[in-house]
Amino acid sequence: MTQFSREFTMTIAGQSAPVEATYPIHNPATCEIIAWAPRANERQLNQAIAAARSTCSTWGRSPLEQRSAALHDIADVLAQNIADFAELLTLEQGKPRYAAEAEILASITWCREIAKQSLPQELVVDTAERRVVTHFSPLGVVGAIVPWNFPMSLAIWKIAPAVMTGNCIVVKPSPFTPLCALKLADLCRECLPPGVFSVVTGGDELGKWMTLHPGIDKIAFTGSTETGKDVMRSAAGTLKRLTLELGGNDPAIVLPDVDPRAIAPQLFWAAFRNNAQYCNATKRLYVHEQIYDEVLRELVDYTLTVKVGDGADPDTQLGPLQNEPQYRKVIQYIDDCIRNGYRFAVGGTIDRRRRGWFIPVTLVDNPPETSRIVAEEPFGPILPVLKWSDEEDVIARANDSPFGLGASVWGHDLAAVQRIGARLDAGTVWLNEVHQYSPHQAFGGHKQSGIGCENSLHGLMEYTNWTTITLNRKVAFGRRSTDGIA
Ligand code: NAD
């Protein structure tokens, strides 16, 4: 059991906020209640935003070194508590311990690397006549809205650049997975001036209040495309800045020259890491017809070796679905396949007597391109495996989606891999690898997968206003005589 206490309070204005209402948080592996999270009301959200507003002008002018040091302090808090954070993450999210630990370690790396980033002013013109300089200043108050699939790292992807650019941030975790963020803010109360980093928790309505709130200058949002559209609508009233990281339906294209057995584990994890509750999970697997049968067979064999269970069990490789609505949503996709007579190569049968929100890994054998399982984002462990034979055709099918988040191509013919990759319409295209991210690499979606990006200096810039200052050195108007002025 984690050494963290099971008391969870929100951090508002650098202090523990009184708990006025609570709601239950479940362990997805057992459905048991593991904690009660605070449910913020509008007054408490207003307090968090007011504290952020009153601090943001001084914090925004603080030296870069101070902000960088604050990020290292947050990283230190995580580093001193890796095991406890990982245990808590498994408990609330369901992911296996090794994956939870990897998420905490990545969060530490992100804080330390973004602490090195800065946006130097841009000298555009510097002549005897004129000087033109563009510089970047903080926006003020950022509202961060986070989903439940990577509760810690997707919060850090917003906290680190916001803090580094001199903004104050109010974080709202997913209602399903608020505990790690609550604990992080609690342990960071000494790291930052009061009001710079607050965490408020509650239901979806809290996100809506944030997007409508006139005291918030920017919303950094990760979640579904449908909610992203609603965020955009609500933010329009105050013309907030927006970064939207939304849903995906990533294709993977496999060329005929790969060894089916050797590639099967990589393709499996490309699709099923985090139990496929992953924006960048491979959600459509296009395999060349020459090797289709063999790849499918190898994938089935590999699937049968993967241990699905409670993430707290050290042998577990895949955990449960994170929450009941998601569990029910994925079942609908399975039912839709059954109704339409699509063949399952493996999986498809749910043990409804089993405790926890478990769904077996399910591979659907070559369903039609127009089927729901191909066209939509199930966000769970069910993958359509599809045949292709013609390069132009597979590129067109891969791009025929309202989403454009990620894509991958796999093959030995590097010319073909690069030729196909260059034509895929996605924010990240991985060639012979997948899911490689970096704090220095821009990440975002094309089409309805998002607006703007996170990470890299491009992501950092999204937390700033730019101001261009032009100076005419040859003053073209007369000087008033100051003779005789005391
Ligand atoms: P979701 O859209 O249901 O919720 C995301 C967050 O928005 C939660 O904190 C929720 O409380 C809040 N929210 C809900 N309604 C709101 C509203 N009307 N106004 C403001 N906030 C509101 O998404 P989810 O189910 O938590 O996450 C899964 C989705 O997120 C998938 O579609 C996945 O692809 C996407 N995702 C995208 C990325 C990316 O980087 N592009 C990363 C992870 C997940």
Side-chain angles (χ1 to χ4, degrees):
M1 192 57 66
T2 160
Q3 298 300 302
F4 285 157
S5 86
R6 291 295 176 94
E7 299 296 311
F8 294 92
T9 61
M10 298 186 290
T11 298
I12 295 177
Q15 292 179 354
S16 166
V19 178
E20 298 188 14
T22 58
Y23 69 97
I25 303 299
H26 296 88
N27 177 349
T30 61
C31 304
E32 284 164 3
I33 295 175
I34 51 167
W36 293 83
R39 186 186 286 283
N41 53 42
E42 264 189 285
R43 186 173 35 77
Q44 290 174 310
L45 174 64
N46 288 339
Q47 284 167 359
I49 295 170
R53 283 236 80 85
S54 73
T55 308
C56 67
S57 70
T58 41
W59 180 246
R61 281 180 280 115
S62 62
L64 201 63
E65 298 71 33
Q66 186 183 348
R67 293 181 244 151
S68 174
L71 282 189
H72 282 293
D73 289 348
I74 296 175
D76 290 344
V77 163
L78 288 167
Q80 285 151 14
N81 297 283
I82 292 172
D84 287 328
F85 271 116
E87 204 168 331
L88 187 60
L89 185 53
T90 293
L91 206 56
E92 68 171 336
Q93 207 284 336
K95 64 183 68 190
R97 269 301 293 273
Y98 74 89
E101 208 167 294
E103 185 169 341
I104 306 304
L105 290 171
S107 302
I108 296 168
T109 303
W110 249 254
C111 287
R112 299 211 192 283
E113 289 301 309
I114 290 187
K116 297 175 189 163
Q117 295 181 344
S118 63
L119 294 168
Q121 58 182 35
E122 288 174 9
L123 186 58
V124 184
V125 177
D126 193 19
T127 63
E129 290 81 32
R130 298 183 70 237
R131 182 179 163 83
V132 178
V133 181
T134 298
H135 34 154
F136 302 92
S137 51
L139 295 168
V141 177
V142 173
I145 301 179
V146 182
W148 45 258
N149 58 343
F150 291 93
M152 184 62 99
S153 50
L154 293 177
I156 290 289
W157 281 24
K158 296 161 182 56
I159 296 164
V163 168
M164 198 54 205
T165 43
N167 293 282
C168 295
I169 186 162
V170 178
V171 178
K172 188 203 89 63
S174 165
F176 297 108
T177 53
L179 302 182
C180 281
L182 284 166
K183 204 46 92 176
L184 179 67
D186 177 339
L187 296 175
C188 288
R189 283 176 195 153
E190 305 299 315
C191 304
L192 292 150
V196 172
F197 171 31
S198 300
V199 170
V200 291
T201 51
D204 292 346
E205 71 286 353
L206 186 56
K208 184 84 175 175
W209 298 337
M210 289 169 73
T211 55
L212 289 168
H213 204 291
I216 290 185
D217 301 289
K218 172 199 168 92
I219 295 287
F221 173 84
T222 303
S224 64
T225 294
E226 279 322 300
T227 309
K229 289 178 185 175
D230 197 41
V231 167
M232 200 169 186
R233 276 190 290 271
S234 305
T238 46
L239 221 62
K240 287 179 180 46
R241 279 33 179 178
L242 287 177
T243 302
L244 301 178
E245 298 286 5
L246 309 178
N249 195 358
D250 291 11
I253 298 175
V254 185
L255 304 193
D257 63 1
V258 305
D259 174 347
R261 172 162 294 183
I263 202 167
Q266 292 187 59
L267 296 178
F268 178 91
W269 289 110
F272 297 110
R273 182 167 296 139
N274 213 40
N275 216 355
Q277 302 166 117
Y278 198 162
C279 55
N280 275 133
T282 294
K283 297 186 179 116
R284 295 174 287 155
L285 179 58
Y286 292 100
V287 181
H288 194 276
E289 64 177 2
Q290 284 172 17
I291 54 165
Y292 179 89
D293 291 343
E294 269 180 277
V295 169
L296 188 59
R297 201 166 43 246
E298 293 296 341
L299 277 171
V300 170
D301 287 353
Y302 188 78
T303 300
L304 298 175
T305 71
V306 172
K307 176 146 191 302
V308 180
D310 186 335
D313 177 344
D315 297 335
T316 292
Q317 291 172 281
L318 281 181
L321 274 283
Q322 198 281 323
N323 58 69
E324 192 174 359
Q326 190 59 30
Y327 172 74
R328 304 227 168 275
K329 183 177 158 195
V330 177
I331 290 176
Q332 282 181 17
Y333 283 99
I334 291 184
D335 289 345
D336 184 71
C337 290
I338 294 170
R339 248 194 322 274
N340 285 288
Y342 308 146
R343 191 183 86 83
F344 295 132
V346 69
T349 309
I350 294 146
D351 178 359
R352 290 173 199 262
R353 288 161 312 169
R354 185 174 183 175
R355 272 192 338 154
W357 296 307
F358 287 97
I359 291 185
V361 167
T362 300
L363 298 173
V364 191
D365 181 7
N366 205 27
E369 202 71 16
T370 51
S371 58
R372 285 189 62 198
I373 194 60
V374 178
E376 298 176 14
E377 182 193 36
F379 218 60
I382 171 165
L383 174 73
V385 188
L386 302 148
K387 257 183 219 176
W388 70 275
S389 54
D390 175 75
E391 188 174 308
E392 284 301 318
D393 178 59
V394 76
I395 292 170
R397 289 160 72 193
N399 286 334
D400 184 18
S401 165
F403 298 108
L405 191 58
S408 61
V409 189
W410 305 79
H412 282 271
D413 179 349
L414 294 188
V417 165
Q418 292 178 78
R419 185 174 67 236
I420 295 170
R423 292 182 57 199
L424 297 179
D425 191 358
T428 308
V429 177
W430 287 285
L431 305 180
N432 289 334
E433 60 178 18
V434 75
H435 302 162
Q436 300 296 320
Y437 304 93
S438 154
H440 306 296
Q441 175 181 318
F443 172 78
H446 293 190
K447 299 189 271 184
Q448 293 190 30
S449 286
I451 289 182
C453 75
E454 293 191 298
N455 305 327
S456 80
L457 295 188
H458 301 288
L460 202 64
M461 209 176 281
E462 296 204 10
Y463 287 84
T464 65
N465 271 322
W466 45 262
T467 307
T468 297
I469 298 182
T470 82
L471 168 68
N472 183 348
R473 289 181 164 131
K474 296 235 158 145
V475 184
F477 38 84
R479 185 194 293 268
R480 180 180 170 222
S481 165
T482 50
D483 288 356
I485 296 177

